[in-house]
Amino acid sequence: MSLHENACRLIQLLKEQHLSLITAESLTGGMIADTLVSVPGASAVIRGGYVTYQTPMKTVMLGVPEALISTCHVVSAPVAQAMAQGARTRSGADVAIAATGLAGPDSDESGLPVGTVFLGISTSQATWAEELHLTGDRQAIREATVAEAIRRITCALFPAVPGVTMRRPTPDELPQIERLTYRAFQTFTFPDGSRPEKITEHYLAHIIPHHPDFVPELHLVAEAEGRLVGDIMYTRGQVVRPSGETLPVLSFGPLSVVPDWQKRGTGNLLVRETLQKARTMGHGAVIILGHPGYYQRFGFLPAREYGLTLPGGAAFDPFMALELLPGYLGQAGGVFHESAAFDFPQDEMAAWEAAWQL
């Protein structure tokens, strides 16, 4: 769809859900708001926009702490988050989208490459940031930022994807799921752009459905165009408290989407639907290892905020937790132990791969 068509769709969806939206823009200088208000009837849901082009205005108009800007730099995920949260709380809107970045033609003292952009999104449930790496001249980067802002806020708020249906898989579809998982992770990169030394997710897709920790009720596939395009699996883990008490928790993974359906909201849909299902089933919390910039949109927080660590004491940013039942994790802390399904002998995987047919 064109940019105008996407803007029209977002306005219509906001109207249907009775949600109001505010923008907070730096490099785009009001272009996001202008694109949205060009849609007839936008005044019913677009509350307005802040243009905070110069750095001090982010503090004056949005309340972004000067210390945060000094510490993290004005083009950063924390500042984008603070811009969005400030815009939402000060305006009273339900949702805020913020943009800060480098459109060029030159970089600044940060040394970040031109085209580095952070989008901040804030709702009543969560505030997060998403990083973009755009190319082209100054105007192309600004226009791409507008397009991505509208696309990503739409996917975040309204995860239904045209043409995609979700359902429980059948046992005879497990080989298909292994193959789609393999294809999904052929393009996987870590946040720093590096690639894993070895892809193991397709083997996990092979063994998890047969493991005692597997949660079949939360196994969903996404189907489109007559084929499987996505899959998510859940396993049981536990948190061991300092007292020795154990607390049952869930984890998900692999979360797989084939390359031609990535960045279209398919993964978003699978995560949201299964989290809601897990909540209604009475599960208390989900703990994962994943990209913070992606999973914050679902309400995940750094697990260390609950006093949790991995075995050995690590508690880095990709180690995240989400309470499905308020207060379930508490502050007693503990060590998270994932399912034993993930601790498989490498020689078993090698033997399986030798006979496996893609």
Side-chain angles (χ1 to χ4, degrees):
M1 290 192 291
S2 68
L3 176 59
H4 180 70
E5 289 172 329
N6 282 334
C8 290
R9 179 169 178 259
L10 175 57
I11 295 299
Q12 182 59 38
L13 291 169
L14 289 168
K15 288 180 178 179
E16 290 173 1
Q17 298 297 319
H18 306 288
L19 297 173
S20 58
L21 184 144
I22 190 82
T23 64
E25 305 180 55
S26 184
L27 78 156
T28 46
M31 292 170 63
I32 300 173
D34 180 65
T35 300
L36 293 174
V37 301
S38 69
V39 177
S43 60
V45 290
I46 302 302
R47 185 152 293 190
Y50 297 92
V51 177
T52 57
Y53 195 64
Q54 291 189 341
T55 299
M57 299 311 295
K58 295 173 177 60
T59 299
V60 173
M61 299 177 69
L62 300 173
V64 179
E66 292 181 358
L68 182 68
I69 295 173
S70 298
T71 302
C72 300
H73 190 265
V74 69
V75 179
S76 64
V79 168
Q81 290 177 259
M83 288 173 64
Q85 190 166 34
R88 184 175 64 83
T89 55
R90 292 191 174 202
S91 69
D94 298 304
V95 183
I97 178 77
T100 178
L102 296 170
D106 301 313
S107 184
D108 60 9
E109 73 283 353
S110 69
L112 292 170
V114 170
T116 301
V117 175
F118 291 91
L119 298 177
I121 301 173
S122 183
T123 71
S124 60
Q125 286 78 40
T127 298
W128 70 94
E130 302 190 8
E131 184 173 357
L132 309 178
H133 296 280
L134 307 174
T135 59
D137 61 19
R138 177 180 174 80
Q139 187 62 17
I141 289 171
R142 297 172 76 224
E143 290 174 355
T145 300
V146 174
E148 282 296 307
I150 291 173
R151 184 182 72 82
R152 294 189 182 218
I153 193 72
T154 303
C155 288
L157 295 175
F158 314 104
V161 182
V164 174
T165 58
M166 289 187 306
R167 59 175 174 82
R168 292 273 302 279
T170 60
D172 61 358
E173 288 177 316
L174 292 177
Q176 296 179 57
I177 292 169
E178 295 167 10
R179 292 191 290 273
L180 84 81
T181 302
Y182 178 82
R183 291 195 297 273
F185 281 88
Q186 290 307 297
T187 58
F188 176 80
T189 58
F190 293 113
D192 63 3
S194 63
R195 296 265 299 147
E197 292 184 10
K198 185 171 182 61
I199 300 296
T200 61
E201 281 75 11
H202 57 302
Y203 185 60
L204 287 169
H206 171 68
I207 62 176
I208 284 176
H210 308 289
H211 195 276
D213 292 334
F214 177 56
V215 186
E217 298 86 352
L218 295 174
H219 187 194
L220 285 187
V221 292
E223 187 175 33
E225 301 172 343
R227 63 190 174 105
L228 301 185
V229 299
D231 177 82
I232 188 169
M233 297 182 179
Y234 278 72
T235 50
R236 297 178 183 86
Q238 63 180 0
V239 170
V240 180
R241 300 293 201 192
S243 64
E245 173 194 5
T246 60
L247 188 69
V249 295
L250 293 175
S251 292
F252 61 73
L255 167 61
S256 311
V257 178
V258 294
D260 57 322
W261 278 88
Q262 291 174 8
K263 299 184 178 180
R264 296 170 65 174
T266 309
N268 192 330
L269 186 62
L270 287 166
V271 173
R272 289 191 186 278
E273 288 294 322
T274 52
L275 288 178
Q276 182 57 38
K277 174 69 172 176
R279 187 177 286 109
T280 61
M281 290 172 64
H283 292 286
V286 179
I287 298 178
I288 61 170
L289 294 172
H291 193 322
Y294 182 75
Y295 289 107
Q296 285 176 346
R297 71 183 66 185
F298 306 106
F300 280 91
L301 298 174
R304 60 177 173 267
E305 295 193 13
Y306 297 102
L308 302 178
T309 71
L310 294 165
F316 45 82
D317 288 347
F319 176 42
M320 292 173 286
L322 171 68
E323 285 188 323
L324 299 176
L325 302 177
Y328 183 80
L329 293 174
Q331 295 298 320
V335 179
F336 168 63
H337 295 269
E338 65 184 0
S339 166
F342 293 89
D343 187 23
F344 56 85
Q346 291 295 314
D347 58 345
E348 288 187 8
M349 176 177 169
W352 175 79
E353 279 193 317
W356 186 59
Q357 297 293 320
L358 176 60

